[in-house]
Amino acid sequence: MKKLALLISTLFLTVGLAAAQNTGGVKGKIRTADGDGISGALVTARQDGDDIKSTKADNKGNFVLEGLKPGKYNFVFSRTGFSSGLKADFEVEAGKIKDLGDNLYLRVDRGTQVIINGSVFNQDGFAIYGAKIKIERVSGDGKTKKIGSGYTSRSGEFTFRFPESTTKFRITASAKGVEESKEVEVEGAAIYRLAITLNLKKEENENNR
C-alpha cells in the first residue's frame, strides 16, 4: 500500500510539473493614480474575445495569474469605482511568470464616486476656516479606521471622494480644542452633504468672522 501511495503521489507530482512547464502566467500590481495598491481588483485574461481565466489582487494590489497556455492575451483590470484598464497583446510563454510592468493604473470613475461634502460653522452660523477634519470608516462592530484628513477652506467647506461602496463614515471636525462628530450612511454613488457646528468661545468666534 505504501508503495502504491508513493507511486500515485509521484504520478500526480509529475503531471503537475508537466502542466506547469506547458503553461505560463503573469504577475503585477494594480495601482491608483497616486500609486496606492487597489485591493480586490479583478484581473481577467482574454483571448479571441473569450474570458480564459481570472484572479483577484491581494490587499496591496499584487496578483499572480497562472495556468495560461502560451500565446497572446488581453489582460483586463477592473474594480468597482474605477474605470477599467487594459494591457493588450501580451505574450505568455510556457514555464514563465512574466511581469506586466509597473504602469497598471486605474483611474477613479467619477460617475461612480461617493462624495462627502461638508461645512463647519460656529454656534452663530459663521464659517470656520482651518478646522481639522478627520474621516473614519465605521465597521459593523463599531470599530473605526481613519481613512483621510484635511482642513476646511475659507468658506468652512471640505470634500472627500471615495469609490462607490455601501458603508458608514464618521466625520470629526475640531478647532481650538473643540470637537464634534457626525456619521453618514453611504448606500452608493452620490453626493452626501452635512454640516457640523462647533461651540467656540466668544473671542474665538470673533476671529472666525
Side-chain angles (χ1 to χ4, degrees), residues 108 110 113-116 159-163:
V108 173
R110 300 196 179 276
Q113 278 193 315
V114 170
I115 300 175
I116 308 293
T159 301
F160 293 98
R161 292 180 171 85
F162 301 99

Side-chain angles (χ1 to χ4, degrees), residues 10 21 23 34 38 43 71 73 90 106 112 122 127 142 148 160 162 178 190:
T10 303
Q21 290 172 353
T23 61
D34 296 327
I38 301 177
V43 183
Y73 293 81
F90 191 86
L106 297 185
T112 57
N122 63 30
F160 293 98
F162 301 99
V178 180

